[in-house]
Amino acid sequence: MFRTALRNVLAHKARLLMTVFAVMLGVTFVTGSLVYGDSQKQANTDRASAGYDRISLSVSPNSVPGGPPATLDARTAAALAEVPGVAAAAGRVNGFAAVADREGRLLGSAEFRKGGNFAPAKDGTDPAYAFTEGSGPVGDEAVALDEASAAKGGYRIGDTVRVGTSTGAESYRLSGVFRTDASKLSPGGSLVLFADATAQQLFLQPGHYTDIEITAAPGTPATQLLDRVEAVIPKDSTAVTGAQLARLQANLASSGSDTMSQIMVGFAAVALFVATFLISNTFTMLVSRRTRELALMRAVGATRKQVRRILLTESVLVGLIASVAGILAGTGVAALLQALFSAADSPDAPLTLLPSTVIIALLVGTALPVIAAWVPVRRAMAIPPVAALGAAEPAAPARAGSLRTGIGAALLLTGSATTLYGALADDGDARAVIGLGAALTLTGAIALIPLLSQPFTALLRPLLLRFSPVHGDLAARNTVRDPRRTGATAAALAIALALASGLSVLGASATQYLDGATTRDITGDYLVQAPSGGQRLTPATAEPLKNLSGATFSPLNQSTEYEIGGIRSVLTGVDPAAIGRLLRYEVTAGSLDSLGRGKVAVADYKARANGWKVGQSLPVKRLDQRGELTIGAIYHADEQSKVLPSITAPDSLVARFDPTPYTDAIVVATAGGPGRAQLASLVKALGDNPALSVLDKDAIRAEDTSGIGDQLDIFYAMLSMALVIAALGIANTLAMSVLERRKEIGTLRALGLDRAGVTRMIRIEALLVGALGATVGTVMGVFTGWALGNTLQESVAGYALVIPWGQLALGVLLALAGALLASLWPARRAAGVDIPAATAAQ
């Protein structure tokens, strides 16, 4: 049986080529996703844990939630240095520092702009840093830069470097360039080293450290030293070994690497699901063409079970060939992904091809063809050998089966009802309900596509007859000749378009919401904030703006850990005299002027949730402080607002409870409104600080909506694999259809239809199939996108459905273009049919 199956595969290799390619693409996607994910996971784990082998112990203070940053003082460092078995105790200072290049552009990734201290040992070197040029900073005017940042900024030893921190910006002399490990510098980040005293002044306070790194003397185990150190350190601090830190960082890096890999595997599953339709179509047509051959095998003694095994063995062989090719190609795709994302500061890593990845790829690649071939094989085995031998050409089914239609209709109705329930009902699991409903609806629609192909073609038929009477009529007839085949081919395209259109609807709706939510509450001209991932600002950051002529400003000073009326809350301190001109407060009760009298204003959603009213006095507690506050106003606000706080308080009230609030942002209105000159004056007033971003409303919109566009681009790129497989399905179906219709095409040619006419007929068939799949998929995607978006309207005020007609039209056009490209080879084959040989065929 194996030899027979192998001979059959080789005999029909041209017809199976598209199937092999489709399975290979799916397996490539799966393998590439797994290999890339495993490689990045291993690289991130190795990088995150690197460097901790030089640390025997690390001592850090225990922070108090809502309190000032916890530190360790120099006396603790000195005491630790005297512990028996300690070779060195280096105090470390860490904070946020942004360094700009010569043009003022920030260096390094937003999340990883750091500052630290150079802590030399007795020999004058710091074991954490290896200097490639110059030396460590000494004195208040010197800094050192990591090697990558110095190269990107174009800096050399002795150059002036502008560095910004939360306390302001200063120019420094570059004293050295260094290399270090990931315990100090994350991939793609920037690190500025200051002299010890300078770093303490900038980030903490003189004589204090963020943590202390201990190096054990030779021959002293870290575990033994841990007991001695714990007896010396303050009670509100913790000591851990370097090995423990390495394991902790490795676990954090490992968990963070899984998300992208899981997303990619999810899209790979979609691609494989789409490939199932192509494989099933191929085997349906192959088995149909070989009905007489299979009947002859039955007639000469082969049992039904033996013939079924031969056909299924063929599908296994196809799967194995495609899987091996997919594994090789997937490994190459993973290498390509690493090369592409290395520009985005992804860590370099050798490719990691685990045995589990090979096993998964082989199982998926071989099981998929078997599952897809099962139904056509079973259907063929139901035909009696005598009937099959007597048929010159097996008839294609004229319509979709009634059982299939009934099941499809039931699934479509059930899924639609489930989706509507999830969208309209107030249910905490609404999105899971919608997901189930969408899956059922899409499955039902796929089952009904063969039934829909006839009315859909009839709808487009007048248009076809108008532009191409003969070819359009022939194409329409051929499209509905086998509804099952047409439906299965269009279904693959429908799945890809449903996902793409649903993402487009959600993305467009979210973008419009964010576009309004980020700026509608700002009546000022500019928002000053730290770059993404930077350290929070302080109230002192806004002090220089007092010297800016005609400017009105207010910091948004956030203070946490309050209990107001027994409810955990956050207060945001503002300038009562200015805030009304800077933010849009839609007061629904009371007056915003009450802020000037020491009262607070509360967002309506906060007041509703707790039953608070204007004039109500509430007890307030923060840490060990107690007091009372009075509600003077209630205003309408969106919980997702970028700037409007849940509780607005005068900054004097916040200062009574919290002497060190952090400033989330500074809202500024300049004389004469926004403009290039006003922006330049504002930046200059803030000290040309690279650690500050000064954004007008357009820049705020661009910054807050760019992430959605980037994510959608990644998802669309992944969905393109499913579109490619769907296009292959169209090409495969048309190619097999041309093979089955050789006699018919030869007859048409003999009756006067020229090569161009045959080509046009095949192309119109492809466009009809593409239009059917694109229409069904787009409708399903918009419906699902609406349902998912509707669940956000209760919690996200201002969210509304947006139909991105342009993107949806582009998706349909791409689907039609893909169908047209897929028809090129089948159309060429059809146009090249030999007329005498075709008309003479039996």
Side-chain angles (χ1 to χ4, degrees), residues 447-478:
L448 289 177
I449 281 184
L451 187 66
L452 295 174
S453 64
Q454 293 179 339
F456 182 83
T457 305
L459 183 66
L460 295 180
R461 191 185 190 99
L463 182 65
L464 298 176
L465 294 178
R466 180 176 180 180
F467 288 98
S468 184
V470 176
H471 314 101
D473 182 59
L474 289 172
R477 291 174 181 274
N478 290 329

Side-chain angles (χ1 to χ4, degrees), residues 532-693:
S532 175
Q535 181 171 315
R536 300 285 188 174
L537 311 180
T538 66
T541 309
E543 289 298 313
L545 296 178
K546 293 179 179 179
N547 301 320
L548 184 61
S549 177
T552 301
F553 67 92
S554 175
L556 304 179
N557 298 323
Q558 290 212 14
S559 182
T560 60
E561 299 300 319
Y562 288 85
E563 285 189 16
I564 301 175
I567 306 300
R568 293 182 67 87
S569 303
V570 175
L571 288 187
T572 301
V574 300
D575 181 352
I579 196 63
R581 300 196 297 273
L582 301 171
L583 298 182
R584 179 176 287 108
Y585 281 88
E586 299 177 13
V587 178
T588 58
S591 171
L592 198 65
D593 293 339
S594 62
L595 291 174
R597 300 190 295 274
K599 297 181 180 181
V600 299
V602 181
D604 52 0
Y605 63 84
K606 184 83 170 180
R608 283 195 306 269
N610 300 292
W612 295 345
K613 299 183 182 300
V614 171
Q616 184 175 354
S617 295
L618 299 169
V620 57
K621 174 185 176 183
R622 184 179 187 275
L623 304 179
D624 58 350
Q625 304 175 79
R626 298 176 183 274
E628 190 176 82
L629 56 78
T630 303
I631 300 175
I634 294 176
Y635 54 89
H636 175 69
D638 179 1
E639 287 188 63
Q640 309 300 322
S641 174
K642 182 180 180 68
V643 291
L644 275 184
S646 59
I647 302 179
T648 306
D651 46 18
S652 58
L653 176 63
V654 169
R656 280 169 36 199
F657 290 92
D658 186 0
T660 59
Y662 64 82
T663 300
D664 189 54
I666 306 168
V667 191
V668 184
T670 55
R676 184 172 299 179
Q678 289 85 342
L679 177 61
S681 298
L682 180 55
V683 171
K684 184 176 181 180
L686 291 168
D688 289 318
N689 190 344
L692 298 178
S693 294

